[in-house]
């Protein structure tokens, strides 16, 4: 189905996205039949310089940059964007992404969504030498082969992220992201589960954006810990849709979880220090995530 109207919705938090907006507008203008808008919602950024740098967006035709004073989280911000959108089709893109293709918008408006959601995926960009000690870069680069269309199609509802997708406004408003998710992580996983339950297909195709900005190791570890707390908080909702929760259950059944917890509690300060330092190993990062999550379960059970 050819789509002749499009609202491009960009949630942002402490990210300058003027170049992204300009690139999107340039592609939209090239499609003569397309009516479009670009709406950027700032979810309570704490850096005044970023807010100031994003102001030129308001001077671009059909574009708006709205600063929301309170940090409400990714789910509520995306829902707000959807309600404010003027057009029938919604294209969500994260502010820290880069355009990978000159025909990115063209592919979205011409691709058949089969009555569901279109997910274009993402690729990892960045100089390997420059980022060689960066944990986030190494983690994303290692996982990149799992994000091909062929791999994503094996588990279409689980291998989906809200960084780059198109959906009909009606479908989104009827199945909003869960507003209980106030902190980092997993609102997209539950959204995939909801769409599966409603019988709304997620169609995977090759139209990626590029992930090229990577926070330092200490911030990434802290963000990962926040994600593990979110996963634990919503464990009942996410059961069967999280590989980490599945792994915890397997370790329990094999009576290995107790040993992991013992090692984690013995070594967690040293592990965390190494992960926040230079050249942290990925295998240690995986063990730390599992141990952190396992300890949350242990604390809950007394």
């Amino acid at each position: 189905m050819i789509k002749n109207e499009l609202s491009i919705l960009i949630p942002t938090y402490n990210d300058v996205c003027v170049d992204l907006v300009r690139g999107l507008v340039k592609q939209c203008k090239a499609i003569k039949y397309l009516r479009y808008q670009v709406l950027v919602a700032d979810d309570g950024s704490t850096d005044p310089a970023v807010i100031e740098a994003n102001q030129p967006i308001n001077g671009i035709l059909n574009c708006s940059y709205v600063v929301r004073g309170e940090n409400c989280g990714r789910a509520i911000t995306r829902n707000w964007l959807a309600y404010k959108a003027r057009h029938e089709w919604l294209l969500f893109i994260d502010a820290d992404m880069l355009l990978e293709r000159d025909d990115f918008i063209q592919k979205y408006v011409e691709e058949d969504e089969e009555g569901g959601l279109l997910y274009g995926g993402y690729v990892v960009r960045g100089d390997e030498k420059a980022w060689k000690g960066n944990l986030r870069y190494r983690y994303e680069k290692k996982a990149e082969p799992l994000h091909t269309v062929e791999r994503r199609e094996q588990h279409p509802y689980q291998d989906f992220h809200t960084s780059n997708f198109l959906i009909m406004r009606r479908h989104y408003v009827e199945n909003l992201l869960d507003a209980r998710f106030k902190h980092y992580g997993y609102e997209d996983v539950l959204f995939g589960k909801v769409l599966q339950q409603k019988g709304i297909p997620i169609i995977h195709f090759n139209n990626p954006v590029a992930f090229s900005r990577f926070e330092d190791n200490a911030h990434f570890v802290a963000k990962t810990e926040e994600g593990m707390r979110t996963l634990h908080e919503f464990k009942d909702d996410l059961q069967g849709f999280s590989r980490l929760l599945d792994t915890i259950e397997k370790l329990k059944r094999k009576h290995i979880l107790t040993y992991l917890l013992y090692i984690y509690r013995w070594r967690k300060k040293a592990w965390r220090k190494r992960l926040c330092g230079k050249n942290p190993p990925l295998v240690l990062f995986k063990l730390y995530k599992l141990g952190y999550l396992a300890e949350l379960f242990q604390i809950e059970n007394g």
Side-chain angles (χ1 to χ4, degrees):
M1 177 192 297
I2 298 293
K3 305 157 190 74
N4 59 11
E5 59 178 58
L6 183 66
S7 289
I8 303 173
L9 308 178
I10 305 175
T12 186
Y13 177 74
N14 285 334
D15 277 308
V16 178
C17 54
V18 178
D19 289 343
L20 172 63
V21 171
R22 286 175 175 151
L24 291 165
V25 168
K26 181 180 179 181
Q27 292 195 22
C28 288
K29 283 182 176 179
I31 305 171
K32 300 304 181 184
Y33 60 81
L34 183 66
R35 290 179 292 137
Y36 70 92
Q37 71 170 142
V38 181
L39 179 57
V40 181
D42 190 305
D43 186 27
S45 286
T46 56
D47 188 343
V50 169
I51 296 173
E52 182 65 26
N54 277 326
Q55 291 298 329
I57 293 170
N58 287 314
I60 304 172
L61 185 65
N62 297 329
C63 298
S64 300
Y65 171 63
V66 180
V67 180
R68 289 163 55 80
E70 181 183 359
N71 180 250
C72 298
R74 304 193 304 176
I76 290 175
T77 302
R78 285 182 173 86
N79 294 346
W80 182 88
L81 282 164
Y83 279 123
K84 294 295 182 181
R86 295 198 302 261
H87 297 308
E88 178 184 12
W89 293 96
L90 311 181
L91 175 57
F92 285 90
I93 305 173
D94 281 356
D96 59 350
M97 296 296 183
L98 299 176
L99 293 178
E100 178 75 3
R101 309 175 56 108
D102 292 334
D103 60 348
F104 174 75
I105 296 295
Q106 186 81 40
K107 286 199 69 176
Y108 262 120
V109 299
E110 292 182 353
E111 186 75 15
D112 183 8
E113 84 295 340
E114 299 179 24
L117 176 153
L118 279 173
Y119 174 52
Y122 70 92
V123 293
V124 181
R125 294 289 179 254
D127 182 69
E128 187 173 351
K129 290 183 179 179
W131 293 105
K132 66 178 181 179
N134 183 275
L135 182 59
R136 182 67 184 269
Y137 173 79
R138 295 178 67 186
Y139 174 78
E140 296 292 351
K141 200 65 182 175
K142 180 74 172 180
E144 193 171 28
L146 303 176
H147 301 315
T148 64
V149 174
E150 293 75 22
R151 292 296 295 269
R152 287 189 268 127
E153 285 177 334
Q154 294 176 18
H155 304 282
Y157 292 96
Q158 290 171 282
D159 290 332
F160 155 74
H161 301 279
T162 50
S163 56
N164 172 25
F165 74 97
L166 181 137
I167 189 170
M168 188 176 286
R169 186 177 187 275
R170 173 174 59 84
H171 284 326
Y172 186 91
V173 171
E174 291 174 354
N175 303 280
L176 294 168
L177 286 169
D178 195 318
R180 293 176 300 159
F181 285 74
K182 299 290 197 301
H183 302 289
Y184 176 77
Y186 292 94
E187 76 283 347
D188 49 357
V189 179
L190 186 57
F191 187 58
K193 183 176 181 179
V194 168
L195 294 183
Q196 184 181 52
Q197 291 170 340
K198 297 290 185 68
I200 298 172
I202 294 180
I203 309 302
H204 292 262
F205 77 128
N206 186 34
N207 194 25
V209 287
F211 185 32
S212 65
R213 284 183 261 176
F214 312 96
E215 61 265 73
D216 63 47
N217 294 347
H219 281 92
F220 182 51
V221 170
K223 183 186 284 189
T224 299
E225 291 168 343
E226 184 179 2
M228 293 302 95
R229 294 192 294 272
T230 300
L231 177 57
H232 178 259
E233 181 181 356
F234 296 100
K235 60 187 180 299
D236 294 335
D237 300 277
L238 298 168
Q239 201 66 49
F241 259 66
S242 163
R243 293 183 180 94
L244 273 172
L245 290 179
D246 292 344
T247 300
I248 290 288
E249 288 302 315
K250 288 177 184 177
L251 293 176
K252 280 183 182 178
R253 289 196 301 269
K254 294 180 178 180
H255 307 289
I256 299 173
L257 195 62
T258 303
Y259 298 104
L260 172 64
L261 262 173
Y262 175 79
I263 297 170
Y264 171 78
R265 285 175 167 165
W266 172 44
R267 297 293 297 166
K268 66 178 176 180
K269 288 184 179 179
W271 284 0
R272 195 182 196 282
K273 183 178 180 180
R274 187 171 181 193
L275 289 173
C276 294
K278 297 179 180 179
N279 201 31
L282 281 177
V283 65
L284 184 61
F285 178 62
K286 293 178 181 179
L287 280 172
Y288 184 81
K289 281 175 68 175
L290 265 178
Y292 193 96
L293 182 58
E295 188 173 51
L296 291 173
F297 277 95
Q298 183 70 18
I299 292 170
E300 178 187 48
N301 296 329

